[in-house]
């Protein structure tokens, strides 16, 4: 249910980025908190296994970059006057 809602929100934001800035940022922050919660695991060797490490990097690096990109795009659209939604 939640993953479906996040996926639908991401698809919707592809068409209406200007309206989806805050929800996309909140989704990104949620994933970052999930990545930080993984760091509290008692067995650190699991975090660096091939199964978990790629998703941890995406949660801690990829999603903050996504949020920064969305904010910069929305701000540049506001400056240039372009509107996609």
């Amino acid at each position: 249910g939640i993953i479906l809602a996040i996926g639908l929100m991401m698809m919707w934001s592809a068409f209406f980025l200007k309206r989806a800035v805050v929800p996309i940022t909140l989704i990104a922050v949620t994933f970052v908190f999930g990545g930080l919660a993984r760091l509290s695991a008692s067995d650190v060797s699991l975090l660096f296994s091939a199964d978990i490490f790629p998703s941890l990097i995406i949660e801690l690096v990829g999603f903050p970059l996504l949020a920064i990109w969305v904010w910069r795009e929305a701000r540049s659209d506001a400056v240039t006057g372009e509107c996609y939604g």
Side-chain angles (χ1 to χ4, degrees), residues 21-71:
V21 172
V22 173
I24 292 298
T25 304
L26 290 175
I27 289 171
V29 167
T30 303
F31 275 96
V32 170
F33 283 145
L36 292 174
R38 283 184 195 225
L39 291 176
S40 69
S42 60
D43 188 8
V44 181
S45 64
L46 275 175
L47 292 176
F48 297 109
S49 68
D51 294 333
I52 296 179
F53 189 68
S55 62
L56 180 67
I57 292 300
I58 290 172
E59 289 170 350
L60 295 178
V61 177
F63 277 100
L65 289 175
L66 173 69
I68 292 168
W69 175 74
V70 167
W71 277 96

